[in-house]
Structures are given as structure tokens and as C-alpha cells.
Amino acid sequence: MDKKFYITTPIFYPNANLHLGHAYVTTLCDVIARYHRLVGDKTYFLTGSDENAQTVIQGAIKAGEDIHAFRDRMVEGFAALFKRLDISYDQFIRTSDEQMHWPGAKRLWEKMAAAGDIYKKEYEGLYCVGHEAFITEKELVDGKCPDHGTVPERTKEENYFFRLSKYTAPIKSKIESDELEILPQSRKNEILALLDEGLQDVSFSRPKAKVPVGIPVPGDDSQVMYVWCDALSNYITALGYGRDDALYKEFWPADVHVIGKDILRFHAAIWPGMLLSAGVPLPKRLLVHGLIRSGGKKMSKTLGNVIDPQELLEEYGTDALRYYLARHISPFEDGDITREHFKEVYNADLANGLGNLASRIMQLAQMHLSEGTRPEAVGFPKEYTEPLEQFEVNKAVEYVWQCIAALDHKITETQPFKVVKENPEQGKKIILELTQELYIIGRMLNPFMPATNEAIKKAVVENKKPENLFPRKD
Ligand code: MSP
């Protein structure tokens, strides 16, 4: 098949270690990317780090480290976490990379400038470092940003502005017609309501003195690009836009940018505006997920309900965490995770469910079959592919667990351990069928739980019992 599929995660600020919310969006993308590879699509999966931000500079200062050393150390941590999570990205783009990223970001800026959409203006505003954006007086609560609880910086600067207002109508029509599709519908409505109010021009640069690590504005070294202008362009610079067009020609426009709801505005207004201005095709889709909470509350250090992905990985393993995120967090709504629920689900679905089924079947196979089997690859049922095509990852996992329950039921019904004693040929036939169905289940698990897929495949092909896949936790 020659269908291509280009998927991206947001790029993460290397200002602190990644938490479960970041692990979630990356795992969600990985599941979708692996599914597309599984069905034969030519897939490209991009992730990376958003490094030229004030929040990152502040992180380095807080850690008492040189900014470059700090960013390198943080990004190494990201890569280690993604390795542990079995994230199969094709490229990790760093916006500090002057060879890979900067030429494309500059090219895009030049195109916008050539379109007459960049102009200089004296500007006074309130900059919230948490948002990496100017916010308005009326958004403040007690003088603070309500999302970050911090007092914004009051600045008076001469900046370059981007004429986003000019693009309100074309952006709206692209979103309304689903040429730029926004999933789920509730997020599409939200952005359409915003567009109804009309978009304002945005400050698109900062003085170099304030953000010394930023990308210099073409033609004016005293200014650097606004970090969201710099960051959004990663989706095309990583493919070689402005540098070497081969991947760009093959994969752009993106099939889907996966983002959290907190950064919808940047992706559904500013990014399409930039692309329209520069004459670059728009991405096809935004998949907007919710935020992960714990016990119904926002994860916060003060509440003591923060869950570190490393902790779950160490205790339960990679595939168990991937399973939880894929099945028990909806890709469209806010999710919730607690240690108690995690353990409950682990024991029920993985230790007693899948793990137990695999070991029962393979024990029978090892005892009664003389060799392993490698079933021919058959197509996938639509109950599996249809939700995955729509990014309804949790529904696809649910379907696989229905297959697991059905196979469990089949063992109870057919009683192979008895039959094989009374009628060995008949018994072996049943056992062979069970192993083949287990193999197919393993194959369907591939996007969610790649190592488990491998372990099941190996067990069936080599006719041996798999290691205890998911030991019970008490
Ligand atoms: N650097 C920007 C994105 C630039 S994309 C061109 C940024 N970085 S971030 O590190 O703060 O967040 C990255 C992603 O993590 C965002 O999509 C955000 O929605 C997501 N999450 C942050 N906290 C989250 C949860 N608690 N739950 C789920 N996702 C969360 O924003």
C-alpha cells in the first residue's frame, strides 16, 4: 500500500521532567502510528522539544545550570522515558537545533513577511510565562493568571506583529468544512465560537535581550521569534522545509497533530494563519485530547496526587502502563488515574485476563502439540480497524478484550483438557485453534502492547509457555 500517514506530538518544554500527561499524549500518538504501520501505511511519527522558551530559561536558572547543559540534560531524560515507554518515533526535533530547525523557521517567517503579514508595533502587555503568551487584564484573577497562579510580567516593547486578524474568515471556512478537521466536535465548536469573535493580531517576536536563546528574526538581530511561532513551525522544519524538501514532499500535510485541549487555540488559529499566510497547505486534522487528573482533581504537588510515569513503569512495566493509557483514558475527554484503579485494572484485565489466558492456552499447546504454528496473516475485523481509523483507541482495545473473553469462554465450552484425553485428534484440533486465535489477539495488541505481541507470537510459533506476562500484584 502506498498510503502515507504523518502524525505529530506537541513538542515538550524541557523545563522539568515529563509527567503522566506528557506520557499520555506521546503514547496515544505511538499507538496510532503503530496501527498505521501495521496496516501497511507509510508512516512518519514526529516528536520533540520546545526549547527557546522563557519557561525553559527560568528552569535552567532555578537549577543553577547553564541553559545549554540544562536543556541537553532534560532532553536526555525525555528520550530515556520515551525509550522505556517503547515510543517508536521516527524523529525527535529540537528547536535549539540550528541545522535542522532554524532554516525552516526563518523561511516560514520570510514568506509571511513577503505576504505583508508582519509589521512592527509598540506594544504593552502582560506576558504569562506559564502560557508562553500575552494574556489580557480581564483574564486575571487577583492579579494572577488563573491557570498558573503567577503574576504576569508587564512589558512594554517594540515587537513584530503577525496579521492574524486577516485570516479569521479563511480559517473559519476551512474548519467549518472539515478541510481542517477538529476532533472531537466539542472542540471544533469551541474554536468556531472563538473565530466568531474575530482573531486579533499577535505579537510575534520578543527582544533578544529577554529571550537570548530564541531564533533571530530574519533581517533584525535585535529581535527573536515568539516561541509559539518558532515551535509550531517544527511540524514542517522537521521534514526539511526550507532545507531539504524530500521528506516534506512525501509527508506534508500532516494527517494529524495530536494536542491537549490547553493548546488548541495555538494550533487551530495561529498555526493555520501562519500557513495560509506563507502559502503552505494546512494539516488535515487536529486530535484534541483532554487532561489527565487523579482522583477527580488536577494533579498537583500540593494535593500530593501527582503520579510519576517512572513509578508505574517500574512497578508494572511498559505494556501495563500503555494498556492503561490506551484503554482507560478516553482520547476525547478528561481522564483520571489513581494508583488504586491502576492496580485493580492490572490484576483484572492483565494478570487474570490476558496473562492467564495466554498461559492456559500455551500450557495445553506445549503438552499436546508437537510443534508451533504461525497462522497466516488475515485481515483485521472492522470492529478493530474502524475505531482506530477514528482515533478511538479505547474502543479498539475494548474490542480486543471482548475477543479475550470470548476465547476464555471457548476454553470453558470446548473443554480441550478433557477432550484431548478421550479423543486426542479432536483435542489437538481444538488446542491448535485456540493457539491460532491467541496469535491473532496478540497481533491486534501490537499497537497498544508491542512487547506483549512479541511474547505471544514467540510462544505460539515456538510452542512454549510465555514467561509470566503480568504477575499478580497484591
Ligand atoms: N511546548 C508547548 C507545545 C508546543 S507544540 C508546537 C507545550 N508544551 S508542554 O510541555 O507544556 O505540554 C505538552 C503537551 O502536554 C500539551 O499538549 C499538553 O496538553 C499536554 N499536557 C500537559 N499536562 C497534561 C495533563 N495533565 N494531561 C494530559 N495532557 C497534558 O504546551
Side-chain angles (χ1 to χ4, degrees), residues 47-90:
T47 190
S49 50
D50 186 354
E51 305 195 14
N52 310 319
Q54 262 175 271
T55 182
V56 179
I57 298 175
Q58 286 184 357
I61 293 170
K62 215 165 106 191
E65 254 176 283
D66 162 71
I67 175 78
H68 300 280
F70 176 73
R71 294 190 301 197
D72 288 351
R73 184 167 68 79
M74 287 294 125
V75 169
E76 259 171 47
F78 292 5
L81 176 67
F82 290 173
K83 185 152 193 257
R84 189 78 209 272
L85 275 169
D86 236 344
I87 304 300
S88 61
Y89 58 79
D90 293 290

Side-chain angles (χ1 to χ4, degrees), residues 298-335:
K298 183 181 168 184
M299 275 189 214
S300 93
K301 289 204 179 102
T302 346
L303 290 172
N305 63 350
V306 174
I307 299 177
D308 180 354
Q310 293 289 0
E311 174 196 326
L312 293 172
L313 285 166
E314 261 147 51
E315 191 168 352
Y316 295 96
T318 301
D319 279 8
L321 179 54
R322 293 178 60 106
Y323 170 76
Y324 190 96
L325 296 177
R327 169 121 190 234
H328 293 283
I329 308 283
S330 152
F332 301 125
E333 286 154 40
D334 286 349

Side-chain angles (χ1 to χ4, degrees), residues 10-13 19 21-22 50 228 235 260 262-263 289-292:
I11 51 173
F12 304 96
Y13 293 128
H19 59 60
H22 307 127
D50 186 354
W228 274 100
Y235 299 131
D262 54 327
I263 57 173
H289 66 80
L291 299 183
I292 301 189

Side-chain angles (χ1 to χ4, degrees), residues 34-246:
R34 284 180 187 269
Y35 165 72
H36 279 274
R37 289 192 200 108
L38 189 65
V39 296
D41 293 343
K42 190 140 196 235
T43 301
Y44 201 84
F45 173 16
L46 177 71
T47 190
S49 50
D50 186 354
E51 305 195 14
N52 310 319
Q54 262 175 271
T55 182
V56 179
I57 298 175
Q58 286 184 357
I61 293 170
K62 215 165 106 191
E65 254 176 283
D66 162 71
I67 175 78
H68 300 280
F70 176 73
R71 294 190 301 197
D72 288 351
R73 184 167 68 79
M74 287 294 125
V75 169
E76 259 171 47
F78 292 5
L81 176 67
F82 290 173
K83 185 152 193 257
R84 189 78 209 272
L85 275 169
D86 236 344
I87 304 300
S88 61
Y89 58 79
D90 293 290
Q91 188 185 155
F92 189 107
I93 180 91
R94 298 185 60 177
T95 59
S96 59
D97 192 324
E98 297 185 25
Q99 260 84 49
M100 296 293 278
H101 177 64
W102 290 26
K106 288 181 180 169
R107 167 74 63 86
L108 196 63
W109 179 286
E110 283 159 358
K111 292 266 180 197
M112 294 186 287
D117 291 335
I118 300 282
Y119 63 95
K120 230 175 181 177
K121 179 174 141 178
E122 180 78 31
Y123 184 61
E124 199 175 339
L126 298 167
Y127 195 81
C128 170
V129 174
H131 274 106
E132 290 293 352
F134 283 100
I135 61 176
T136 60
E137 199 86 46
K138 72 172 198 258
E139 288 172 82
L140 302 182
V141 175
D142 297 330
K144 292 180 179 166
C145 163
D147 293 337
H148 298 97
T150 48
V151 179
E153 262 173 58
R154 190 170 287 279
T155 65
K156 194 167 177 220
E157 307 168 345
E158 193 173 45
N159 289 336
Y160 288 97
F161 264 66
F162 171 53
R163 221 179 283 284
L164 182 59
S165 57
K166 179 171 151 191
Y167 295 97
T168 303
I171 294 172
K172 196 173 163 209
S173 105
K174 299 262 184 197
I175 293 177
E176 261 171 352
S177 67
D178 288 337
E179 222 176 299
L180 168 56
E181 192 184 359
I182 299 185
L183 293 168
Q185 178 74 33
S186 55
R187 299 289 162 218
K188 175 176 170 180
N189 296 344
E190 180 185 320
I191 203 73
L192 285 173
L194 189 90
L195 287 160
D196 278 339
E197 289 171 23
L199 297 171
Q200 312 252 320
D201 291 355
V202 260
S203 158
F204 241 41
S205 73
R206 303 293 315 277
K208 190 173 170 63
K210 285 251 172 71
V211 196
V213 292
I215 307 178
V217 164
D220 183 351
D221 276 355
S222 72
Q223 294 269 316
V224 298
M225 288 180 202
Y226 170 44
V227 69
W228 274 100
C229 165
D230 158 350
L232 288 161
S233 66
N234 94 88
Y235 299 131
I236 55 175
T237 65
L239 296 181
Y241 176 83
R243 166 170 61 83
D244 165 4
D245 274 1

